[in-house]
Amino acid sequence: MINRRTFTKAVGLGMGATAVSLGAASNSPAAFAAGSDRPGRPAPVVPAIAPGTHTTFTDLKRVQAGVLDIGYAEAGPEHGPVVICLHGWPYDIHSFVDVVPLLADAGYRVIVPYLRGHGTTNFLSPTTVRTGQQAAIALDIIALMDALKIHKAVLAGFDWGSRAAGTIAALWPERVKALVAVSGYLIVNIPSQQNPLPPKAEHTWWYQYYFATDRGRVAMETKQYRHDLCRLVWDEVSPTWKFDDATFERTAAAFENPDYAAIVIHNYRWRLGLADGERCYDRYEQLLAARPAVTVPTIALDPALDPFLPTTDGTGYRKFFTGRYEHRVLPGIGHNAPQEAPTAFAQAVVDADHL
């Protein structure tokens, strides 16, 4: 999920996160802003809705793009400005089920793809290496944009999706109008992953080390263990989110993809330096290893109750964003930011587009 180098740097600063009650949240953009470098154009205010207001997508599509046949949800006017929302692990497109109608009503064409190995997204060839590394996932999204003839879009994501969006913004800024990045700068630097974290932080990452073992791999390949493990992660990383069983099961259906276990296991093993990346992505990973700056307009979101964040002030990653920028804290919210706080997330997208 969050990049260990950024985590270690922030821990070293000795800053603790301060949780703010959910009741303090407001629909006003100013309620979430922790600082803006420059005032931008006025943005419309997104109407507030309760999380869980929507449960399904009405328009599910597929398109061949790159090495994949990508399944995705779409809403909003066909010729509206494009927003692409990217989910994380262990989640799927339903993390944005409340965000999408808010953005569509605001005039955006919203696209939410299943990442490789999830839901209805499948590989076109059985011989393609099932890699979960960051460059591969980012290039999947570039291929999707090309297939849909989208030159430029606002990218918004969390967890794996935030990393993919940040990677695209860093390497292909001409394709990104603006960025909403939960947890800030998550681009992975493999050598830094060898540095230990404080024990409490390592404990939070328990599943990452589990996946480094054959037991963890077999668990992800076994339906019931996979289901229960992912449900446990949901419970741990979103401590105040009162979701019901049906909400989890709608997402858990995406874990039945035949490549799910392979992609997830490779992603975490690769990030720890325990699995090689695919050679066709080497040149991109070399560029990413240099920690390139993100120059596009960005709003960084830190959920106040996300256990992966040692601090929510954004100072650990601020230097990586060199364009127009805001940092916001989501009070009372855990790791699954868009599903737990859809109004605040949608507002961040609209505001980023107006920076």
Side-chain angles (χ1 to χ4, degrees):
M1 291 184 179
I2 196 170
N3 181 276
R4 289 162 55 92
R5 182 176 180 180
T6 301
F7 192 107
T8 303
K9 180 181 286 292
V11 169
L13 293 173
M15 299 177 181
T18 301
V20 184
S21 69
L22 183 59
S26 163
N27 190 52
S28 167
F32 303 98
S36 175
D37 292 340
R38 280 186 264 174
R41 296 173 288 129
V45 175
V46 174
I49 64 169
T53 298
H54 304 87
T55 59
T56 60
F57 293 99
T58 58
D59 195 4
L60 297 175
K61 299 181 177 181
R62 304 175 70 97
V63 66
Q64 290 190 4
V67 299
L68 300 173
D69 184 88
I70 297 179
Y72 64 99
E74 181 171 349
E78 180 181 358
H79 299 294
V82 179
V83 176
I84 300 177
C85 297
L86 302 174
H87 67 80
W89 182 87
Y91 306 98
D92 81 329
I93 63 175
H94 289 87
S95 287
F96 301 99
V97 72
D98 283 321
V99 170
V100 168
L102 293 173
L103 294 176
D105 288 346
Y108 290 95
R109 178 188 179 191
V110 192
I111 294 168
V112 191
Y114 284 106
L115 298 186
R116 56 170 53 198
H118 292 73
T120 57
T121 291
N122 294 300
F123 286 88
L124 296 174
S125 170
T127 63
T128 302
V129 177
R130 271 47 172 173
T131 173
Q133 67 192 96
Q134 61 190 358
I137 296 173
L139 283 165
D140 291 343
I141 305 308
I142 293 289
L144 173 65
M145 294 174 70
D146 290 344
L148 297 179
K149 296 180 172 55
I150 296 168
H151 174 65
K152 204 167 193 176
V154 177
L155 300 185
F158 76 107
D159 197 80
W160 289 21
S162 184
R163 178 172 298 108
T167 295
I168 297 168
L171 296 187
W172 298 279
E174 71 279 3
R175 307 301 299 269
V176 182
K177 185 179 182 185
L179 174 68
V180 174
V182 177
S183 307
Y185 192 90
L186 297 184
I187 292 174
V188 173
N189 177 276
I190 297 297
S192 72
Q193 301 287 81
Q194 308 311 308
N195 299 324
L197 299 176
K200 185 176 181 179
E202 297 283 22
H203 179 266
T204 304
W205 289 91
W206 63 270
Y207 59 87
Q208 183 169 241
Y209 308 119
Y210 185 44
F211 293 161
T213 69
D214 283 340
R215 284 169 63 114
R217 175 185 56 78
V218 172
M220 288 303 291
E221 293 171 346
T222 306
K223 181 174 181 177
Q224 190 61 51
Y225 288 138
R226 177 174 63 242
H227 174 280
D228 294 351
L229 186 151
C230 292
R231 176 63 186 255
L232 176 60
V233 172
W234 274 41
D235 291 334
E236 290 185 342
V237 303
S238 296
T240 61
W241 183 30
K242 304 302 181 184
F243 61 90
D244 58 17
D245 290 342
T247 298
F248 177 76
E249 296 302 333
R250 280 189 289 271
T251 288
F255 309 159
E256 299 308 303
N257 185 294
D259 297 306
Y260 184 79
I263 294 298
V264 172
I265 294 298
H266 183 266
N267 178 283
Y268 288 104
R269 289 185 178 182
W270 174 82
R271 284 161 56 180
L272 287 176
L274 301 176
D276 291 334
E278 181 65 5
R279 292 190 63 182
C280 65
Y281 301 113
D282 283 354
R283 59 176 172 150
Y284 305 111
E285 296 297 354
Q286 289 168 5
L287 292 171
L288 294 170
R291 311 287 276 172
V294 172
T295 60
V296 305
T298 299
I299 292 180
L301 300 177
D302 281 342
L305 301 185
D306 188 336
F308 299 103
L309 295 175
T311 175
T312 57
D313 62 12
T315 57
Y317 55 72
R318 177 63 185 91
K319 67 180 181 180
F320 297 112
F321 296 96
T322 60
R324 296 190 297 277
Y325 176 84
E326 286 187 14
H327 174 264
R328 301 180 180 184
V329 176
L330 300 179
I333 299 304
H335 190 71
N336 187 4
Q339 201 161 2
E340 295 181 58
T343 303
F345 192 92
Q347 188 68 63
V349 171
V350 174
D351 290 347
D353 187 33
H354 286 74
L355 278 178

